[in-house]
Amino acid sequence: MRIGIYGGTFNPPHQGHLLAARFALEALELDRLFLIPTAEPPHKELPPGSPTSEDRLAMTVIAADNLFCPGISVSDLELRRSGLSYTADTIEAIHRQYPQDELWLLMGADMFLSIQNWHEPERIMAAAHLAGFARAADQEDVLDQQADWLQAKYGAKAQVLRLYDMAEISSTQLRELLLRDEGWEYLAAPVRGYILMHGLYGTHADLKHLNVEDLRACSYSMVKAKRLAHIRGTEEEAVRLARRWGADEEQARKAGILHDCTKYLELEEQLQLCEKYGIVLDELEQKAVKLLHAKTGAAIARHVFGMPEAICSAIFWHTTGRADMTLLEKVLYMADYVEPNRRFEEVEELRRLAYSDLDAAVLRGCELSIADMAERGQPVHRNTREARDWLREH
């Protein structure tokens, strides 16, 4: 197996890092690639006001997740070690874990040209091959010469990876841009959201008065990347349904953006939020984590993002439904049910019904949910039964 090792402060992890990682994965035919945030880099101090190691790790995890590359993951190896983060120690630790595998250390041009001056470079090159990124044509000759010299001097296998078509920006430059509320295009949207929500790099976003783009980024930062297609689909479906039935389109959009923002919290975290925000749970809800994200998501929408009650209520009821739902509640319930990424036997029929008879569509959705839960031997929440019964009567 071939394993790539790409270390750095990732302060913050930007598109340049991610594109380089993906390129290296393919160019070197790597089976795995570890992004490894450093704790205390030996060659430079982290600038004043830098995020904590935990924040840099969290941003790197989010960035890697949004690459949709199964071979790329994040390691906290260096953050778990005390003291300076020497690459020689990291390489040897990974070599001990994967003694039969071929290791490749990835680095930028400056690092590649100066590796002989690092702490105990012989240990590095004894355990790993080297790959340096050339981001401009005028770097190619000098990097090729360095590769030949490292081969002659240390017996190292070194390769130059040419990334000429990728926009180059340093983390230092990006931090300066972020101070001026610029440079966001160099970040994945969920990383942008994490920065805004935690006030990193001198940002001071008012989370209760975000524009739609920033609200979307914040929501995306709270979930797994695999959920984003569903959230985007629900947002756009909610807008279309709102337009069809005369609901507030902006409220529908924001409800769609936030409806699953706490989807990936574990049961204990969900229960903690319920206690924090005074959410009263029945016996089933105390044990069924899948029922809780609607309630905690509504609380986050209200208390963190300052959403009006109509949006919070739509999020609160989007999983179970309830008797006598408002128009916006019905719109979000159906948008979540029939957004374009949904695939189940009756989805096309349900989509058509949603645009011809919204109440009939919600009723059919409740009936399908009840039947599905019964088939799987799962308890059905009373609110779903009450929603079905109310719609049948009215």
Side-chain angles (χ1 to χ4, degrees), residues 323-386:
D324 196 13
M325 296 167 72
T326 68
L327 176 57
L328 186 63
E329 289 167 6
K330 294 173 187 175
V331 162
L332 184 61
Y333 182 88
M334 288 312 304
D336 181 49
Y337 221 126
V338 303
E339 60 89 8
N341 298 285
R342 292 294 198 192
R343 299 287 185 271
F344 56 92
E345 186 175 348
E346 296 192 49
V347 68
E348 291 300 334
E349 174 194 343
L350 205 55
R351 283 177 181 141
R352 288 190 293 272
L353 198 58
Y355 285 88
S356 61
D357 188 333
L358 185 59
D359 281 353
V362 176
L363 172 58
R364 186 61 184 142
C366 291
E367 291 172 341
L368 288 173
S369 295
I370 291 169
D372 178 63
M373 297 297 282
E375 184 178 336
R376 290 189 283 134
Q378 299 293 322
V380 178
H381 196 275
R382 60 180 174 80
N383 286 321
T384 306
R385 295 188 187 278
E386 289 174 3

Side-chain angles (χ1 to χ4, degrees), residues 56-294:
R56 289 189 291 111
L57 177 65
M59 287 188 289
T60 307
V61 169
I62 290 171
D65 184 39
N66 280 268
L67 271 175
F68 294 99
C69 287
I72 298 178
S73 59
V74 179
S75 169
D76 64 352
L77 173 63
E78 294 198 356
L79 299 182
R80 287 187 278 109
R81 277 204 316 256
S82 59
L84 296 176
S85 298
Y86 288 116
T87 300
D89 296 332
T90 299
I91 293 294
E92 288 189 346
I94 296 174
H95 180 65
R96 286 193 296 271
Q97 188 176 358
Y98 302 96
Q100 304 303 317
D101 298 319
E102 183 179 297
L103 305 184
W104 282 85
L105 177 62
L106 314 178
M107 65 196 82
D110 290 344
M111 296 293 101
F112 189 74
L113 292 171
S114 64
I115 189 171
Q116 64 273 14
N117 301 320
W118 291 15
H119 176 73
E120 299 182 333
E122 298 87 354
R123 291 170 56 201
I124 298 173
M125 288 179 268
H129 304 318
L130 309 178
F133 297 117
R135 295 182 179 273
D138 58 6
Q139 293 178 328
E140 186 173 338
D141 287 344
V142 68
L143 291 177
D144 283 337
Q145 292 171 15
Q146 173 75 346
D148 292 340
W149 183 82
L150 292 171
Q151 169 68 38
K153 173 74 173 179
Y154 297 99
K157 181 177 180 180
Q159 186 169 333
V160 178
L161 302 179
R162 293 156 176 81
L163 306 178
Y164 302 160
D165 296 332
M166 297 184 186
E168 171 69 346
I169 188 169
S170 70
S171 292
T172 300
Q173 292 170 321
L174 182 52
R175 290 192 298 270
E176 292 172 353
L177 289 173
L178 294 179
L179 280 171
R180 305 195 298 269
D181 195 27
E182 300 173 2
W184 295 110
E185 67 271 18
Y186 294 104
L187 296 169
V191 176
R192 171 182 184 159
Y194 187 95
I195 290 171
L196 292 175
M197 290 193 68
H198 293 81
L200 306 181
Y201 305 112
T203 60
H204 300 284
D206 181 353
L207 297 181
K208 293 188 176 181
H209 296 89
L210 296 174
N211 61 39
V212 167
E213 183 179 6
D214 286 343
L215 182 68
R216 194 179 286 122
C218 289
S219 174
Y220 289 1
S221 75
M222 301 170 69
V223 300
K224 301 288 187 184
K226 64 183 180 181
R227 197 73 186 170
L228 298 187
H230 167 70
I231 294 174
R232 283 193 294 265
T234 300
E235 174 193 342
E236 296 305 326
E237 194 72 52
V239 171
R240 287 191 290 269
L241 284 169
R243 186 176 301 129
R244 169 65 180 86
W245 297 109
D248 187 304
E249 292 183 30
E250 181 181 2
Q251 288 189 344
R253 182 178 298 283
K254 291 178 178 178
I257 289 171
L258 291 173
H259 82 286
D260 271 356
C261 67
T262 59
K263 181 75 174 181
Y264 288 96
L265 297 183
E266 300 293 336
L267 178 61
E268 185 60 33
E269 296 172 297
Q270 297 278 9
L271 293 176
Q272 288 173 1
L273 283 178
C274 289
E275 182 177 359
K276 177 178 179 179
Y277 293 117
I279 300 171
V280 179
L281 304 175
D282 60 30
E283 184 177 355
L284 175 57
E285 291 166 340
Q286 292 172 14
K287 299 179 292 185
V289 67
K290 289 185 177 181
L291 294 177
L292 296 182
H293 79 279

